[in-house]
Amino acid sequence: MRFLFRRLTFYIVAAFAAITLNFFIPRMMVGDPVQLMFAQFQGRLDPRAMESLKETFGFVQGPLLQQYITYLTNLFQGNFGLSVSSFPVPVIELIGPSLAWTVRLIGFSTILAFIIGTILGVFAAWRRGGGIDNIFLPIASVVGAFPFFWIAMVVLYLFGLVWKWFPIGHAYDVSMQVDWGNPTFLSSVVQHSLMPLCTIIITAIGGWMLGMRNNMIGVLSQDYVTMAQAKGLSDRRVMLVYAARNAILPSLTGFAMSLGFVVGGALVVELVFAYPGMGYTLLRAVQGRDYPLMQAVFLVITLAVLAANFAADIMYVLLDPRAR
Amino acid sequence: MSAISPSAAKTPESTSGQPLLSVRNLEVEYRTKRGRVKAVDHVSFDISTNEVLGLAGESGCGKSTIAHAVTRILKPPAYITGGQIMFKSTDILGMSDDELRAFRWEHLSIVFQSAMNALNPVLSVGAQIIDAIQAHMPVSKDEARARALELLDVVGIHSNRVDSYPHQLSGGMRQRAVIAIALALNPEMIIMDEPTTALDVVVQKQIIQEIRQLKDKFGFSILFITHDLSLLVEFSDRIGIMYAGELAEIGPSREIFDNPQHPYTVRLMNSFPTISGPRIELKGIPGSPPDLVTPPSGCRFHPRCDVAIAGRCQEEHPELQQTSPRHFAACHLIDERKGNS
Ligand SMILES: Nc1ncnc2c1ncn2[C@@H]1O[C@H](COP(=O)(O)OP(=O)(O)OP(=O)(O)O)[C@@H](O)[C@H]1O
Ligand SMILES: [Mg+2]
């Protein structure tokens, strides 16, 4: 518990540092950043947008401290200002849904890839030299070594364009209303997610599998595993509670990192499959020079990395008594 | 049975009656890149009920390999290439996986060489006793836990440590916990592979004392492995001395101590201080144990033996022979002495 508390304190401080940096960076620019941005649009920007830009960056009247407090208050109210490219939609309304799509798709597939890869790794080590170890593992490792972009394109080309098994682009059939209670809508969401989901999973499991297999092989030679066998425990119990429980611990750090990249690292998948997530939103923000949107995306990415790390710490504490 | 009866006359018999464990001509090898390491070569011995057989010898002579062969927990590259291991009337080497699972711990348990590594770091000590009990007996978790508390008490660990994890215990407590786990199903025999080597001398003596009391209380047999002969002399009923994968000498502790027959035993005895005996000058054994891929011809000890008989010991492999009713040794000098007397 003390450990978790210490970590939490650290993450809060880190989050605060990121937020504060976000506040100071525009102020450290030479000149008035808002004027600069405005100039870049060469008069194609609504003058009202400029006011909102100013407000977003906290360039309000009063001393720095007061500006900072205004900025923090806005932030905690979820007020990231108005989008410039889709003026006057509030940034939060653009970020909210895309964050949700990303977390659902990329988060789910990252977790699923970890679980599948880890389980296969356990079996590969347990039946060393068996089918999973000798056939499946090399294939998965080779697939994992291909550039992700390339695999995604192949999947899109074959399953989306040639065989037309799955719809290409977007998260659901755009002719439908978003209604999570509607089974047709749900099935559309699932169909739209299958290609990116499978792409992420097939490229990621090889790495998890190899890591877990190697950890397992190390753990299997430990005396406590041999002793568990000598105790007459079932193979299942020896494999899961004695071997895998210990072998998974070194994988958790890597898992935390990939969870942290769920929000920020999904750019390529979302571009290839035109999935309306954070990566896609970030690209739009950059193309439209939508600074408020960009800034909010970066902040969310930072917080996501911190949150994922904290989640990994919790897992660690749950699985390893030595960390408590 | 007939296969082993010819050698039975020459094999070391146990103290009395039908043996609990009977090992005959056991051969184990490790198949390594360098070749086959014959870690155990034609080893035979018996252990009877409530008996302590000590096994001593330099590091690498095959003691742990025997322990692991008897419990059948050897993994590749180790292979049992010959011999027979009988527990009462069951053939351990012939058991199926299911039979083996049921047999293990209930009849025969083992305390590993390093208690530090024998406990699962992510399970509490109690859980590691409970799962052994529940694997063999149809008892509820509460009953198993009650038994775990009892066992911890028996080995001198306060019952409030039942939910402690291994890293929270001292080395001595961990060793006691491992012994408690070994006692969980009240087995007829416990193999103890250097149960106290990692501990300081005081704790070591305490634990040996406790093991002795537990043995008297529960009546199990012990195969006690150590390289500390002085410990064995006080603790075991009989002692087997191993050299380079073979049994060099085996007999009642006092006889081994007072009247060692094998030059290696003499050397081994001189290289350790006795706990109670007179202070003698300690001599190490010159040279080092042979490489078991290509062991020396004839008697394996001859290159290091200062009383080797020129010609004979290099050539002829000595077999175990009886020197007194329960005492056997494998040395050509015995013939010489007999010839002289
Ligand atoms: N996994 C292995 N691969 C190859 N050779 C091995 C392996 N394990 C043990 N050996 C060899 O087998 C022989 C016997 O080893 P064993 O562990 O039984 O010795 P020991 O008498 O228990 O020694 P110690 O007192 O150091 O525990 C040694 O020569 C060792 O080098
Ligand atoms: Mg050993």
Side-chain angles (χ1 to χ4, degrees):
Chain A
M1 276 308 108
R2 281 245 315 279
F3 168 76
L4 278 189
F5 188 75
R6 249 189 5 243
R7 298 299 286 175
L8 186 62
T9 317
F10 169 76
Y11 294 129
I12 291 175
V13 170
F16 224 76
I19 291 171
T20 307
L21 213 60
N22 214 19
F23 170 77
F24 278 109
I25 284 173
R27 278 169 184 73
M28 289 189 297
M29 292 182 185
V30 203
D32 181 347
V34 179
Q35 286 294 348
L36 276 172
M37 290 177 208
F38 195 70
Q40 283 179 346
F41 285 96
Q42 297 168 344
R44 281 181 282 110
L45 196 65
D46 192 325
R48 284 174 303 162
M50 193 167 102
E51 280 314 301
S52 99
L53 265 180
K54 279 196 168 177
E55 213 179 294
T56 309
F57 294 110
F59 286 104
V60 286
Q61 299 304 313
L64 202 62
L65 187 67
Q66 195 193 324
Q67 293 183 11
Y68 184 57
I69 291 170
T70 315
Y71 163 81
L72 284 184
T73 324
N74 278 342
L75 211 66
F76 281 110
Q77 287 168 348
N79 180 4
F80 294 94
L82 304 181
S83 161
V84 173
S85 54
S86 334
F87 192 80
V89 182
V91 164
I92 187 79
E93 281 177 26
L94 293 175
I95 289 224
S98 60
L99 180 64
W101 285 119
T102 292
V103 168
R104 272 193 295 262
L105 173 72
I106 320 287
F108 181 70
S109 37
T110 304
I111 293 173
L112 205 62
F114 177 72
I115 293 174
I116 296 175
T118 300
I119 291 175
L120 287 174
V122 168
F123 280 103
W126 189 257
R127 294 192 224 294
R128 199 172 166 184
I132 298 180
D133 196 22
N134 276 351
I135 299 164
F136 198 90
L137 182 65
I139 294 177
S141 308
V142 168
V143 171
F146 275 109
F148 182 82
F149 184 73
W150 189 81
I151 301 262
M153 292 297 266
V154 169
V155 168
L156 181 74
Y157 179 73
L158 291 179
F159 296 95
L161 295 172
V162 178
W163 296 321
K164 296 197 168 44
W165 287 6
F166 301 107
I168 51 169
H170 214 66
Y172 53 92
D173 191 338
V174 274
S175 64
M176 279 187 215
Q177 290 288 316
V178 176
D179 174 10
W180 292 97
N182 178 0
T184 332
F185 174 75
L186 275 182
S187 114
S188 168
V189 168
V190 170
Q191 279 182 20
H192 280 80
S193 69
L194 279 178
M195 276 198 301
L197 185 106
C198 291
T199 311
I200 293 177
I201 289 180
I202 61 173
T203 49
I205 52 177
W208 295 126
M209 202 175 154
L210 194 65
M212 188 60 182
R213 172 196 179 268
N214 293 345
N215 295 344
M216 268 295 273
I217 282 175
V219 169
L220 284 177
S221 66
Q222 294 287 326
D223 278 351
Y224 55 78
V225 174
T226 314
M227 175 149 157
Q229 280 165 335
K231 285 196 321 195
L233 302 184
S234 66
D235 278 356
R236 220 180 90 114
R237 190 168 170 87
V238 176
M239 182 172 82
L240 298 179
V241 181
Y242 281 75
R245 264 290 295 278
N246 284 288
I248 202 170
L249 299 176
S251 296
L252 289 183
T253 316
F255 182 50
M257 281 174 68
S258 64
L259 273 187
F261 288 131
V262 159
V263 173
L267 200 70
V268 177
V269 211
E270 292 184 355
L271 288 189
V272 173
F273 297 101
Y275 206 81
M278 288 295 274
Y280 201 67
T281 305
L282 179 60
L283 183 78
R284 257 179 43 194
V286 173
Q287 283 170 343
R289 301 225 180 90
D290 194 338
Y291 290 94
L293 187 55
M294 263 191 264
Q295 226 182 359
V297 170
F298 285 135
L299 204 58
V300 170
I301 290 175
T302 311
L303 296 183
V305 170
L306 295 178
N309 273 294
F310 188 54
D313 288 338
I314 293 176
M315 279 188 295
Y316 216 91
V317 165
L318 287 180
L319 289 175
D320 189 354
R322 285 162 295 189
R324 280 168 213 166
Chain B
M1 280 305 283
S2 57
I4 56 162
S5 47
S7 59
K10 287 200 294 178
T11 29
E13 295 296 322
S14 61
T15 331
S16 60
Q18 151 115 21
L20 182 64
L21 178 82
S22 150
V23 174
R24 285 290 170 276
N25 297 318
L26 182 65
E27 290 172 57
V28 184
E29 62 185 32
Y30 292 92
R31 299 186 183 152
T32 67
K33 286 197 194 82
R34 292 192 309 118
R36 298 181 171 208
V37 180
K38 266 229 166 285
V40 177
D41 202 357
H42 285 92
V43 168
S44 303
F45 60 87
D46 286 344
I47 300 178
S48 55
T49 306
N50 205 14
E51 188 188 27
V52 180
L53 174 67
L55 215 48
E58 281 165 298
S59 182
C61 67
K63 306 181 296 291
S64 298
T65 307
I66 289 183
H68 293 183
V70 170
T71 23
R72 261 190 70 183
I73 49 177
L74 286 172
K75 289 176 197 158
Y79 295 89
I80 297 177
T81 50
Q84 190 181 33
I85 303 172
M86 299 290 288
F87 192 88
K88 290 197 276 196
S89 49
T90 21
D91 176 8
I92 291 186
L93 298 183
M95 283 183 188
S96 70
D97 286 355
D98 284 338
E99 287 168 336
L100 197 58
R101 220 188 328 272
F103 168 79
R104 283 169 163 169
W105 229 252
E106 213 172 321
H107 300 281
L108 172 64
S109 63
I110 177 167
V111 172
F112 279 87
Q113 184 156 359
S114 154
M116 301 299 154
N117 305 328
L119 293 170
N120 183 348
V122 302
L123 281 191
S124 71
V125 170
Q128 297 186 55
I129 303 180
I130 292 169
D131 68 3
I133 297 172
Q134 287 197 310
H136 295 274
M137 301 203 299
V139 294
S140 72
K141 188 124 189 175
D142 285 341
E143 289 169 292
R145 190 180 160 89
R147 169 102 179 112
L149 292 175
E150 209 177 287
L151 285 163
L152 289 178
D153 186 53
V154 159
V155 297
I157 299 180
H158 196 280
S159 55
N160 64 11
R161 303 310 292 264
V162 66
D163 294 319
S164 296
Y165 289 91
H167 72 278
Q168 297 167 325
L169 304 178
S170 70
M173 281 165 104
R174 263 184 258 187
Q175 192 53 264
R176 289 192 167 93
V178 171
I179 294 172
I181 299 176
L183 292 169
L185 291 147
N186 217 340
E188 287 130 290
M189 182 173 160
I190 303 181
I191 295 178
M192 298 187 172
D193 190 356
E194 310 203 19
T196 58
T197 355
L199 306 172
D200 71 62
V201 187
V202 178
V203 181
Q204 190 172 336
K205 286 192 87 171
Q206 276 173 2
I207 290 185
I208 295 292
Q209 196 55 40
E210 282 166 20
I211 293 174
R212 206 197 303 257
Q213 285 164 3
L214 291 170
K215 183 192 97 94
D216 292 341
K217 189 167 164 193
F218 296 107
F220 48 82
S221 312
I222 304 179
L223 174 58
F224 194 94
I225 294 171
T226 179
H227 50 246
D228 186 349
L229 245 181
S230 57
L231 193 75
L232 278 189
V233 171
E234 310 199 354
F235 182 61
S236 29
D237 300 310
R238 285 186 307 137
I239 294 178
I241 306 289
M242 288 196 61
Y243 185 76
E246 295 179 322
L247 209 50
E249 180 164 8
I250 184 168
S253 301
R254 283 256 58 104
E255 275 190 43
I256 297 266
F257 188 67
D258 295 336
N259 190 17
Q261 295 294 316
H262 200 289
Y264 177 63
T265 312
V266 178
R267 290 301 194 77
L268 199 61
M269 216 120 66
N270 289 342
S271 65
F272 284 100
T274 44
I275 294 177
S276 55
R279 289 190 68 88
I280 48 166
E281 195 192 336
L282 295 180
K283 291 182 279 253
I285 306 177
S288 51
D291 179 6
L292 295 180
V293 177
T294 48
S297 62
C299 173
R300 291 188 180 172
F301 187 58
H302 85 258
R304 295 169 78 190
C305 183
D306 54 7
V307 288
I309 308 162
R312 187 168 183 201
C313 292
Q314 283 101 305
E315 303 294 325
E316 196 184 327
H317 185 262
E319 300 295 326
L320 273 181
Q321 53 178 307
Q322 204 164 14
T323 61
S324 78
R326 291 163 57 217
H327 192 165
F328 299 77
C331 179
H332 293 311
L333 286 171
I334 298 165
D335 297 336
E336 304 283 312
R337 280 187 220 121
K338 272 186 194 155
N340 292 346
S341 61

